[in-house]
Amino acid sequence: MKPDTNCIFCRIAAGEIPSNKVYEDEQVVAFKDLNPQAPVHVLVVPKAHFATLAEMDAEGAELVKHALTVIPQIAASLGLASGYRLIVNQGADAGQTVMHLHIHLLGGKPLGEKIV
Ligand code: 5GP
Ligand code: ZN
């Protein structure tokens, strides 16, 4: 899928908008959330543009699989040996605000009450 020039995460992935990157390879980029909700709050973002899992094609699925594969190493590099939480908001009811699929990686403290 082609980058969307109006999409903030496509522009971060392309290096057009600055971000605090903690990991990058050919398929994904991970950078610190602008408005952190935990001591460690990183967004793991496939470089291809698709808004939600419902819009994901086969190439996108490979990128998400890759993202999940590298997350343990990103978490280890951020010192999250005692655990972390992943959140993927999908659509309005989940409060998704950036319509480019991303995985929130949260940790650095006990994360409190679980919703599920
Ligand atoms: P969502 O609500 O879509 O699941 O999460 C979007 C996240 O992106 C929010 O946590 C928000 O703080 C973060 N965010 C939005 N714009 C930017 C930006 O320009 N840079 C960074 N680093 N994070 C952003
Ligand atoms: Zn995008």
Side-chain angles (χ1 to χ4, degrees), residues 36-104:
Q37 302 301 309
V40 175
H41 185 175
V42 162
L43 302 169
V44 185
V45 179
K47 287 188 171 178
H49 179 87
F50 49 101
T52 64
L53 291 169
E55 295 182 18
M56 182 174 69
D57 64 8
E59 179 208 353
E62 282 303 315
L63 300 190
V64 170
K65 178 180 165 188
H66 178 71
L68 293 172
T69 304
V70 297
I71 279 173
Q73 122 190 21
I74 296 171
S77 76
L78 296 169
L80 302 179
S82 53
Y84 54 90
R85 184 171 292 159
L86 304 179
I87 295 176
V88 186
N89 292 320
Q90 297 290 284
D93 278 3
Q96 184 178 3
T97 57
V98 177
M99 298 308 285
H100 177 132
L101 189 112
H102 52 279
I103 303 168
H104 294 260

Short mmCIF file of all heavy atoms in Angstrom, two decimals, residues 36-104:
data_model
loop_
_atom_site.label_atom_id
_atom_site.label_comp_id
_atom_site.label_asym_id
_atom_site.label_seq_id
_atom_site.Cartn_x
_atom_site.Cartn_y
_atom_site.Cartn_z
N PRO A 36 2.46 10.62 26.34
CA PRO A 36 2.62 9.29 26.95
C PRO A 36 1.66 9.02 28.10
O PRO A 36 1.42 9.89 28.93
CB PRO A 36 4.07 9.29 27.42
CG PRO A 36 4.49 10.72 27.47
CD PRO A 36 3.65 11.46 26.47
N GLN A 37 1.13 7.81 28.12
CA GLN A 37 0.18 7.38 29.16
C GLN A 37 0.84 6.44 30.17
O GLN A 37 0.16 5.88 31.04
CB GLN A 37 -1.02 6.69 28.51
CG GLN A 37 -1.76 7.57 27.52
CD GLN A 37 -2.28 8.86 28.15
OE1 GLN A 37 -2.94 8.83 29.18
NE2 GLN A 37 -1.95 10.00 27.56
N ALA A 38 2.13 6.26 30.06
CA ALA A 38 2.90 5.41 30.98
C ALA A 38 4.36 5.85 30.84
O ALA A 38 4.70 6.54 29.87
CB ALA A 38 2.73 3.94 30.60
N PRO A 39 5.23 5.46 31.79
CA PRO A 39 6.63 5.88 31.68
C PRO A 39 7.26 5.48 30.34
O PRO A 39 8.09 6.23 29.80
CB PRO A 39 7.29 5.15 32.86
CG PRO A 39 6.20 4.99 33.86
CD PRO A 39 4.95 4.77 33.06
N VAL A 40 6.88 4.33 29.83
CA VAL A 40 7.27 3.95 28.46
C VAL A 40 5.99 3.84 27.64
O VAL A 40 5.08 3.09 28.00
CB VAL A 40 8.03 2.61 28.43
CG1 VAL A 40 8.31 2.19 26.99
CG2 VAL A 40 9.34 2.72 29.22
N HIS A 41 5.89 4.64 26.59
CA HIS A 41 4.73 4.58 25.69
C HIS A 41 5.24 4.81 24.28
O HIS A 41 5.58 5.93 23.90
CB HIS A 41 3.70 5.64 26.07
CG HIS A 41 2.42 5.57 25.27
ND1 HIS A 41 1.34 6.37 25.54
CD2 HIS A 41 2.06 4.80 24.21
CE1 HIS A 41 0.35 6.08 24.70
NE2 HIS A 41 0.77 5.15 23.86
N VAL A 42 5.31 3.71 23.55
CA VAL A 42 5.88 3.70 22.20
C VAL A 42 4.79 3.24 21.24
O VAL A 42 3.94 2.41 21.60
CB VAL A 42 7.12 2.77 22.18
CG1 VAL A 42 7.50 2.35 20.78
CG2 VAL A 42 8.30 3.46 22.89
N LEU A 43 4.81 3.79 20.03
CA LEU A 43 3.90 3.35 18.97
C LEU A 43 4.70 2.55 17.96
O LEU A 43 5.73 3.02 17.45
CB LEU A 43 3.27 4.56 18.28
CG LEU A 43 2.49 5.49 19.22
CD1 LEU A 43 2.12 6.79 18.51
CD2 LEU A 43 1.25 4.79 19.77
N VAL A 44 4.26 1.32 17.71
CA VAL A 44 4.92 0.46 16.73
C VAL A 44 4.05 0.49 15.47
O VAL A 44 2.87 0.12 15.52
CB VAL A 44 5.08 -0.98 17.27
CG1 VAL A 44 5.88 -1.83 16.28
CG2 VAL A 44 5.77 -0.95 18.65
N VAL A 45 4.65 0.95 14.37
CA VAL A 45 3.86 1.34 13.20
C VAL A 45 4.40 0.65 11.95
O VAL A 45 5.56 0.84 11.58
CB VAL A 45 3.95 2.88 13.02
CG1 VAL A 45 3.16 3.33 11.81
CG2 VAL A 45 3.46 3.60 14.28
N PRO A 46 3.54 -0.14 11.27
CA PRO A 46 3.95 -0.67 9.96
C PRO A 46 4.16 0.50 9.00
O PRO A 46 3.39 1.46 9.02
CB PRO A 46 2.76 -1.52 9.50
CG PRO A 46 1.83 -1.61 10.66
CD PRO A 46 2.17 -0.51 11.62
N LYS A 47 5.17 0.42 8.14
CA LYS A 47 5.45 1.56 7.25
C LYS A 47 4.40 1.71 6.15
O LYS A 47 4.21 2.80 5.64
CB LYS A 47 6.86 1.43 6.68
CG LYS A 47 7.93 1.73 7.72
CD LYS A 47 9.32 1.80 7.11
CE LYS A 47 10.33 2.30 8.14
NZ LYS A 47 11.70 2.34 7.60
N ALA A 48 3.73 0.64 5.77
CA ALA A 48 2.67 0.74 4.77
C ALA A 48 1.42 1.34 5.41
O ALA A 48 1.15 1.11 6.59
CB ALA A 48 2.36 -0.63 4.18
N HIS A 49 0.68 2.08 4.59
CA HIS A 49 -0.52 2.74 5.13
C HIS A 49 -1.76 1.87 5.00
O HIS A 49 -2.15 1.48 3.90
CB HIS A 49 -0.77 4.06 4.39
CG HIS A 49 -2.00 4.77 4.90
ND1 HIS A 49 -1.95 5.62 5.97
CD2 HIS A 49 -3.29 4.69 4.51
CE1 HIS A 49 -3.17 6.08 6.21
NE2 HIS A 49 -4.01 5.51 5.34
N PHE A 50 -2.37 1.58 6.14
CA PHE A 50 -3.75 1.09 6.16
C PHE A 50 -4.33 1.51 7.50
O PHE A 50 -3.63 1.54 8.51
CB PHE A 50 -3.87 -0.42 5.90
CG PHE A 50 -2.96 -1.28 6.72
CD1 PHE A 50 -3.45 -1.94 7.84
CD2 PHE A 50 -1.62 -1.44 6.39
CE1 PHE A 50 -2.62 -2.74 8.60
CE2 PHE A 50 -0.78 -2.24 7.15
CZ PHE A 50 -1.28 -2.89 8.27
N ALA A 51 -5.60 1.86 7.50
CA ALA A 51 -6.18 2.52 8.66
C ALA A 51 -6.44 1.55 9.80
O ALA A 51 -6.20 1.87 10.97
CB ALA A 51 -7.47 3.23 8.25
N THR A 52 -6.97 0.40 9.45
CA THR A 52 -7.42 -0.56 10.47
C THR A 52 -7.12 -1.98 9.98
O THR A 52 -6.80 -2.20 8.81
CB THR A 52 -8.94 -0.46 10.70
OG1 THR A 52 -9.61 -0.82 9.49
CG2 THR A 52 -9.37 0.95 11.13
N LEU A 53 -7.30 -2.94 10.86
CA LEU A 53 -7.11 -4.34 10.47
C LEU A 53 -8.07 -4.72 9.34
O LEU A 53 -7.74 -5.52 8.47
CB LEU A 53 -7.34 -5.25 11.68
CG LEU A 53 -6.27 -5.15 12.77
CD1 LEU A 53 -6.73 -5.89 14.03
CD2 LEU A 53 -4.93 -5.70 12.30
N ALA A 54 -9.27 -4.10 9.34
CA ALA A 54 -10.25 -4.41 8.29
C ALA A 54 -9.76 -4.01 6.91
O ALA A 54 -10.19 -4.57 5.90
CB ALA A 54 -11.57 -3.72 8.60
N GLU A 55 -8.85 -3.05 6.85
CA GLU A 55 -8.32 -2.57 5.57
C GLU A 55 -6.97 -3.20 5.22
O GLU A 55 -6.36 -2.84 4.21
CB GLU A 55 -8.19 -1.04 5.59
CG GLU A 55 -9.53 -0.35 5.69
CD GLU A 55 -9.43 1.16 5.67
OE1 GLU A 55 -8.38 1.70 5.25
OE2 GLU A 55 -10.39 1.80 6.10
N MET A 56 -6.52 -4.11 6.05
CA MET A 56 -5.19 -4.70 5.87
C MET A 56 -5.20 -5.74 4.75
O MET A 56 -6.07 -6.61 4.71
CB MET A 56 -4.81 -5.37 7.20
CG MET A 56 -3.44 -5.99 7.22
SD MET A 56 -3.09 -6.58 8.89
CE MET A 56 -4.24 -7.94 9.03
N ASP A 57 -4.23 -5.64 3.84
CA ASP A 57 -4.08 -6.66 2.80
C ASP A 57 -2.98 -7.65 3.22
O ASP A 57 -2.47 -7.59 4.35
CB ASP A 57 -3.79 -6.00 1.44
CG ASP A 57 -2.47 -5.24 1.42
OD1 ASP A 57 -1.69 -5.34 2.40
OD2 ASP A 57 -2.20 -4.55 0.42
N ALA A 58 -2.62 -8.55 2.30
CA ALA A 58 -1.65 -9.60 2.65
C ALA A 58 -0.29 -9.01 3.00
O ALA A 58 0.38 -9.47 3.93
CB ALA A 58 -1.53 -10.59 1.49
N GLU A 59 0.09 -7.97 2.26
CA GLU A 59 1.38 -7.32 2.56
C GLU A 59 1.32 -6.70 3.96
O GLU A 59 2.26 -6.83 4.76
CB GLU A 59 1.65 -6.22 1.52
CG GLU A 59 2.95 -5.46 1.77
CD GLU A 59 2.90 -4.01 1.25
OE1 GLU A 59 1.92 -3.64 0.59
OE2 GLU A 59 3.85 -3.26 1.54
N GLY A 60 0.21 -6.03 4.25
CA GLY A 60 0.05 -5.43 5.57
C GLY A 60 0.10 -6.47 6.67
O GLY A 60 0.70 -6.24 7.74
N ALA A 61 -0.51 -7.62 6.43
CA ALA A 61 -0.50 -8.69 7.43
C ALA A 61 0.92 -9.15 7.72
O ALA A 61 1.26 -9.44 8.88
CB ALA A 61 -1.37 -9.85 6.95
N GLU A 62 1.74 -9.20 6.70
CA GLU A 62 3.15 -9.58 6.91
C GLU A 62 3.85 -8.53 7.78
O GLU A 62 4.68 -8.89 8.63
CB GLU A 62 3.87 -9.71 5.56
CG GLU A 62 3.57 -11.00 4.83
CD GLU A 62 3.90 -12.24 5.65
OE1 GLU A 62 4.98 -12.29 6.27
OE2 GLU A 62 3.06 -13.15 5.70
N LEU A 63 3.52 -7.26 7.55
CA LEU A 63 4.16 -6.20 8.33
C LEU A 63 3.72 -6.26 9.80
O LEU A 63 4.53 -6.04 10.70
CB LEU A 63 3.85 -4.82 7.74
CG LEU A 63 4.29 -4.56 6.30
CD1 LEU A 63 4.12 -3.09 5.95
CD2 LEU A 63 5.72 -4.98 6.05
N VAL A 64 2.44 -6.55 10.02
CA VAL A 64 1.95 -6.65 11.40
C VAL A 64 2.59 -7.86 12.09
O VAL A 64 3.00 -7.79 13.25
CB VAL A 64 0.41 -6.73 11.43
CG1 VAL A 64 -0.09 -7.08 12.81
CG2 VAL A 64 -0.17 -5.40 10.97
N LYS A 65 2.70 -8.96 11.35
CA LYS A 65 3.37 -10.15 11.89
C LYS A 65 4.82 -9.80 12.27
O LYS A 65 5.30 -10.16 13.36
CB LYS A 65 3.36 -11.26 10.84
CG LYS A 65 4.06 -12.53 11.22
CD LYS A 65 3.96 -13.52 10.07
CE LYS A 65 4.94 -14.66 10.24
NZ LYS A 65 4.99 -15.51 9.03
N HIS A 66 5.47 -9.06 11.39
CA HIS A 66 6.84 -8.65 11.67
C HIS A 66 6.90 -7.75 12.90
O HIS A 66 7.78 -7.90 13.75
CB HIS A 66 7.44 -7.96 10.45
CG HIS A 66 8.83 -7.48 10.67
ND1 HIS A 66 9.91 -8.34 10.77
CD2 HIS A 66 9.34 -6.24 10.85
CE1 HIS A 66 11.01 -7.64 11.01
NE2 HIS A 66 10.69 -6.37 11.05
N ALA A 67 5.94 -6.80 12.98
CA ALA A 67 5.90 -5.90 14.14
C ALA A 67 5.79 -6.71 15.43
O ALA A 67 6.53 -6.46 16.41
CB ALA A 67 4.73 -4.92 14.01
N LEU A 68 4.90 -7.69 15.45
CA LEU A 68 4.74 -8.51 16.66
C LEU A 68 6.01 -9.29 16.96
O LEU A 68 6.34 -9.53 18.13
CB LEU A 68 3.54 -9.46 16.49
CG LEU A 68 2.18 -8.76 16.43
CD1 LEU A 68 1.09 -9.76 16.06
CD2 LEU A 68 1.84 -8.10 17.77
N THR A 69 6.72 -9.66 15.92
CA THR A 69 7.97 -10.43 16.11
C THR A 69 9.06 -9.58 16.74
O THR A 69 9.84 -10.09 17.55
CB THR A 69 8.43 -10.98 14.74
OG1 THR A 69 7.37 -11.75 14.18
CG2 THR A 69 9.67 -11.85 14.88
N VAL A 70 9.12 -8.30 16.36
CA VAL A 70 10.22 -7.46 16.88
C VAL A 70 9.85 -6.76 18.19
O VAL A 70 10.74 -6.21 18.86
CB VAL A 70 10.72 -6.43 15.83
CG1 VAL A 70 11.31 -7.15 14.62
CG2 VAL A 70 9.63 -5.46 15.41
N ILE A 71 8.57 -6.77 18.57
CA ILE A 71 8.17 -6.06 19.80
C ILE A 71 8.92 -6.58 21.03
O ILE A 71 9.37 -5.76 21.85
CB ILE A 71 6.64 -6.08 19.96
CG1 ILE A 71 6.03 -4.96 19.09
CG2 ILE A 71 6.23 -5.90 21.43
CD1 ILE A 71 4.52 -4.96 19.01
N PRO A 72 9.12 -7.88 21.22
CA PRO A 72 9.87 -8.30 22.41
C PRO A 72 11.27 -7.69 22.47
O PRO A 72 11.74 -7.30 23.54
CB PRO A 72 9.93 -9.82 22.28
CG PRO A 72 8.71 -10.17 21.48
CD PRO A 72 8.57 -9.04 20.49
N GLN A 73 11.90 -7.57 21.32
CA GLN A 73 13.24 -6.98 21.32
C GLN A 73 13.17 -5.47 21.57
O GLN A 73 14.02 -4.90 22.27
CB GLN A 73 13.95 -7.39 20.01
CG GLN A 73 14.44 -6.34 19.12
CD GLN A 73 14.90 -6.92 17.76
OE1 GLN A 73 14.55 -8.02 17.32
NE2 GLN A 73 15.72 -6.16 17.08
N ILE A 74 12.15 -4.79 21.05
CA ILE A 74 11.98 -3.37 21.35
C ILE A 74 11.73 -3.20 22.86
O ILE A 74 12.34 -2.35 23.52
CB ILE A 74 10.80 -2.77 20.54
CG1 ILE A 74 11.09 -2.82 19.05
CG2 ILE A 74 10.51 -1.33 20.99
CD1 ILE A 74 9.89 -2.44 18.17
N ALA A 75 10.84 -4.04 23.40
CA ALA A 75 10.52 -3.96 24.84
C ALA A 75 11.78 -4.19 25.67
O ALA A 75 12.03 -3.46 26.65
CB ALA A 75 9.44 -4.97 25.18
N ALA A 76 12.58 -5.17 25.29
CA ALA A 76 13.81 -5.44 26.05
C ALA A 76 14.75 -4.25 25.99
O ALA A 76 15.36 -3.87 27.00
CB ALA A 76 14.48 -6.70 25.49
N SER A 77 14.83 -3.62 24.81
CA SER A 77 15.74 -2.48 24.66
C SER A 77 15.28 -1.29 25.50
O SER A 77 16.07 -0.41 25.83
CB SER A 77 15.84 -2.07 23.20
OG SER A 77 14.69 -1.36 22.78
N LEU A 78 13.97 -1.26 25.84
CA LEU A 78 13.43 -0.17 26.65
C LEU A 78 13.38 -0.53 28.14
O LEU A 78 12.83 0.22 28.94
CB LEU A 78 12.02 0.17 26.15
CG LEU A 78 11.96 0.72 24.71
CD1 LEU A 78 10.52 0.79 24.21
CD2 LEU A 78 12.61 2.10 24.64
N GLY A 79 13.92 -1.69 28.48
CA GLY A 79 14.03 -2.08 29.88
C GLY A 79 12.75 -2.64 30.48
O GLY A 79 12.56 -2.58 31.70
N LEU A 80 11.87 -3.19 29.64
CA LEU A 80 10.57 -3.66 30.13
C LEU A 80 10.58 -5.14 30.52
O LEU A 80 9.67 -5.89 30.16
CB LEU A 80 9.49 -3.39 29.07
CG LEU A 80 9.35 -1.92 28.66
CD1 LEU A 80 8.29 -1.76 27.58
CD2 LEU A 80 9.05 -1.04 29.86
N ALA A 81 11.59 -5.52 31.29
CA ALA A 81 11.74 -6.93 31.65
C ALA A 81 10.58 -7.44 32.49
O ALA A 81 10.28 -8.64 32.48
CB ALA A 81 13.07 -7.14 32.38
N SER A 82 9.91 -6.55 33.22
CA SER A 82 8.83 -7.03 34.09
C SER A 82 7.46 -6.96 33.42
O SER A 82 6.44 -7.20 34.08
CB SER A 82 8.82 -6.25 35.41
OG SER A 82 8.81 -4.86 35.17
N GLY A 83 7.42 -6.68 32.14
CA GLY A 83 6.17 -6.78 31.40
C GLY A 83 5.75 -5.49 30.72
O GLY A 83 6.32 -4.42 30.95
N TYR A 84 4.77 -5.63 29.86
CA TYR A 84 4.24 -4.48 29.11
C TYR A 84 2.88 -4.86 28.56
O TYR A 84 2.47 -6.02 28.62
CB TYR A 84 5.21 -4.07 27.98
CG TYR A 84 5.59 -5.17 27.03
CD1 TYR A 84 4.84 -5.42 25.88
CD2 TYR A 84 6.70 -5.98 27.27
CE1 TYR A 84 5.19 -6.43 25.00
CE2 TYR A 84 7.06 -6.99 26.40
CZ TYR A 84 6.30 -7.21 25.26
OH TYR A 84 6.65 -8.22 24.41
N ARG A 85 2.18 -3.85 28.05
CA ARG A 85 0.85 -4.08 27.48
C ARG A 85 0.82 -3.54 26.06
O ARG A 85 1.36 -2.47 25.78
CB ARG A 85 -0.21 -3.38 28.34
CG ARG A 85 -1.65 -3.63 27.89
CD ARG A 85 -2.63 -3.08 28.92
NE ARG A 85 -2.56 -3.83 30.17
CZ ARG A 85 -2.97 -3.37 31.36
NH1 ARG A 85 -3.49 -2.15 31.46
NH2 ARG A 85 -2.87 -4.12 32.43
N LEU A 86 0.13 -4.28 25.18
CA LEU A 86 -0.09 -3.83 23.80
C LEU A 86 -1.56 -3.47 23.63
O LEU A 86 -2.43 -4.20 24.11
CB LEU A 86 0.28 -4.94 22.80
CG LEU A 86 1.70 -5.49 22.90
CD1 LEU A 86 1.89 -6.61 21.86
CD2 LEU A 86 2.74 -4.40 22.68
N ILE A 87 -1.81 -2.36 22.95
CA ILE A 87 -3.19 -1.93 22.67
C ILE A 87 -3.28 -1.52 21.20
O ILE A 87 -2.40 -0.81 20.69
CB ILE A 87 -3.60 -0.74 23.57
CG1 ILE A 87 -3.63 -1.17 25.04
CG2 ILE A 87 -4.96 -0.17 23.15
CD1 ILE A 87 -3.91 -0.06 26.03
N VAL A 88 -4.32 -2.00 20.53
CA VAL A 88 -4.55 -1.62 19.12
C VAL A 88 -5.98 -1.10 19.02
O VAL A 88 -6.93 -1.88 18.98
CB VAL A 88 -4.34 -2.81 18.16
CG1 VAL A 88 -4.44 -2.34 16.70
CG2 VAL A 88 -3.00 -3.49 18.40
N ASN A 89 -6.14 0.22 19.04
CA ASN A 89 -7.47 0.81 18.93
C ASN A 89 -7.96 0.70 17.49
O ASN A 89 -7.22 0.99 16.55
CB ASN A 89 -7.43 2.28 19.37
CG ASN A 89 -7.16 2.41 20.86
OD1 ASN A 89 -7.69 1.65 21.66
ND2 ASN A 89 -6.32 3.37 21.24
N GLN A 90 -9.22 0.32 17.35
CA GLN A 90 -9.83 0.14 16.03
C GLN A 90 -11.13 0.93 15.95
O GLN A 90 -12.15 0.54 16.53
CB GLN A 90 -10.14 -1.35 15.77
CG GLN A 90 -8.92 -2.25 15.74
CD GLN A 90 -8.07 -1.99 14.51
OE1 GLN A 90 -8.39 -2.41 13.41
NE2 GLN A 90 -6.96 -1.28 14.71
N GLY A 91 -11.10 2.07 15.29
CA GLY A 91 -12.33 2.79 15.03
C GLY A 91 -12.83 3.65 16.19
O GLY A 91 -12.19 3.77 17.24
N ALA A 92 -13.97 4.25 15.94
CA ALA A 92 -14.49 5.31 16.82
C ALA A 92 -14.75 4.83 18.24
O ALA A 92 -14.39 5.50 19.21
CB ALA A 92 -15.76 5.88 16.21
N ASP A 93 -15.39 3.68 18.40
CA ASP A 93 -15.74 3.24 19.75
C ASP A 93 -14.50 2.96 20.60
O ASP A 93 -14.55 3.05 21.83
CB ASP A 93 -16.62 1.98 19.70
CG ASP A 93 -18.09 2.31 19.46
OD1 ASP A 93 -18.41 3.50 19.28
OD2 ASP A 93 -18.91 1.38 19.46
N ALA A 94 -13.39 2.63 19.94
CA ALA A 94 -12.14 2.40 20.67
C ALA A 94 -11.34 3.69 20.84
O ALA A 94 -10.29 3.69 21.48
CB ALA A 94 -11.30 1.36 19.93
N GLY A 95 -11.83 4.77 20.24
CA GLY A 95 -11.14 6.06 20.37
C GLY A 95 -9.95 6.23 19.46
O GLY A 95 -9.07 7.05 19.72
N GLN A 96 -9.90 5.47 18.36
CA GLN A 96 -8.77 5.61 17.44
C GLN A 96 -8.76 7.02 16.86
O GLN A 96 -9.77 7.49 16.32
CB GLN A 96 -8.86 4.57 16.31
CG GLN A 96 -7.65 4.59 15.36
CD GLN A 96 -7.73 3.52 14.28
OE1 GLN A 96 -8.72 2.78 14.18
NE2 GLN A 96 -6.70 3.42 13.46
N THR A 97 -7.61 7.69 16.98
CA THR A 97 -7.52 9.06 16.49
C THR A 97 -6.62 9.18 15.26
O THR A 97 -6.80 10.11 14.47
CB THR A 97 -6.98 10.01 17.59
OG1 THR A 97 -5.72 9.52 18.03
CG2 THR A 97 -7.96 10.10 18.75
N VAL A 98 -5.66 8.30 15.12
CA VAL A 98 -4.79 8.33 13.94
C VAL A 98 -5.13 7.11 13.09
O VAL A 98 -4.98 5.96 13.53
CB VAL A 98 -3.29 8.32 14.33
CG1 VAL A 98 -2.42 8.26 13.07
CG2 VAL A 98 -2.94 9.55 15.16
N MET A 99 -5.61 7.38 11.86
CA MET A 99 -6.12 6.30 11.02
C MET A 99 -5.01 5.68 10.18
O MET A 99 -5.07 5.63 8.94
CB MET A 99 -7.28 6.83 10.16
CG MET A 99 -8.47 7.32 11.00
SD MET A 99 -9.06 6.11 12.22
CE MET A 99 -9.90 4.96 11.15
N HIS A 100 -3.99 5.23 10.87
CA HIS A 100 -2.89 4.43 10.29
C HIS A 100 -2.59 3.41 11.37
O HIS A 100 -2.23 3.78 12.50
CB HIS A 100 -1.69 5.33 9.99
CG HIS A 100 -0.48 4.62 9.45
ND1 HIS A 100 0.22 5.05 8.33
CD2 HIS A 100 0.18 3.51 9.90
CE1 HIS A 100 1.24 4.24 8.12
NE2 HIS A 100 1.25 3.30 9.07
N LEU A 101 -2.76 2.14 11.05
CA LEU A 101 -2.68 1.11 12.08
C LEU A 101 -1.40 1.22 12.91
O LEU A 101 -0.31 1.39 12.36
CB LEU A 101 -2.75 -0.29 11.46
CG LEU A 101 -2.88 -1.36 12.54
CD1 LEU A 101 -4.23 -2.03 12.48
CD2 LEU A 101 -1.77 -2.36 12.49
N HIS A 102 -1.57 1.14 14.21
CA HIS A 102 -0.42 1.23 15.11
C HIS A 102 -0.69 0.43 16.37
O HIS A 102 -1.85 0.26 16.78
CB HIS A 102 -0.12 2.69 15.47
CG HIS A 102 -1.30 3.45 15.97
ND1 HIS A 102 -2.25 3.98 15.13
CD2 HIS A 102 -1.71 3.75 17.24
CE1 HIS A 102 -3.18 4.59 15.85
NE2 HIS A 102 -2.88 4.45 17.13
N ILE A 103 0.38 -0.04 16.96
CA ILE A 103 0.31 -0.83 18.18
C ILE A 103 0.93 0.01 19.30
O ILE A 103 2.10 0.39 19.22
CB ILE A 103 1.09 -2.15 18.03
CG1 ILE A 103 0.55 -2.95 16.84
CG2 ILE A 103 1.03 -2.97 19.32
CD1 ILE A 103 1.44 -4.13 16.43
N HIS A 104 0.12 0.32 20.32
CA HIS A 104 0.67 1.00 21.49
C HIS A 104 1.43 -0.03 22.34
O HIS A 104 0.91 -1.11 22.62
CB HIS A 104 -0.45 1.56 22.36
CG HIS A 104 -1.24 2.66 21.73
ND1 HIS A 104 -1.02 4.00 22.01
CD2 HIS A 104 -2.27 2.63 20.85
CE1 HIS A 104 -1.88 4.74 21.31
NE2 HIS A 104 -2.65 3.93 20.60
#
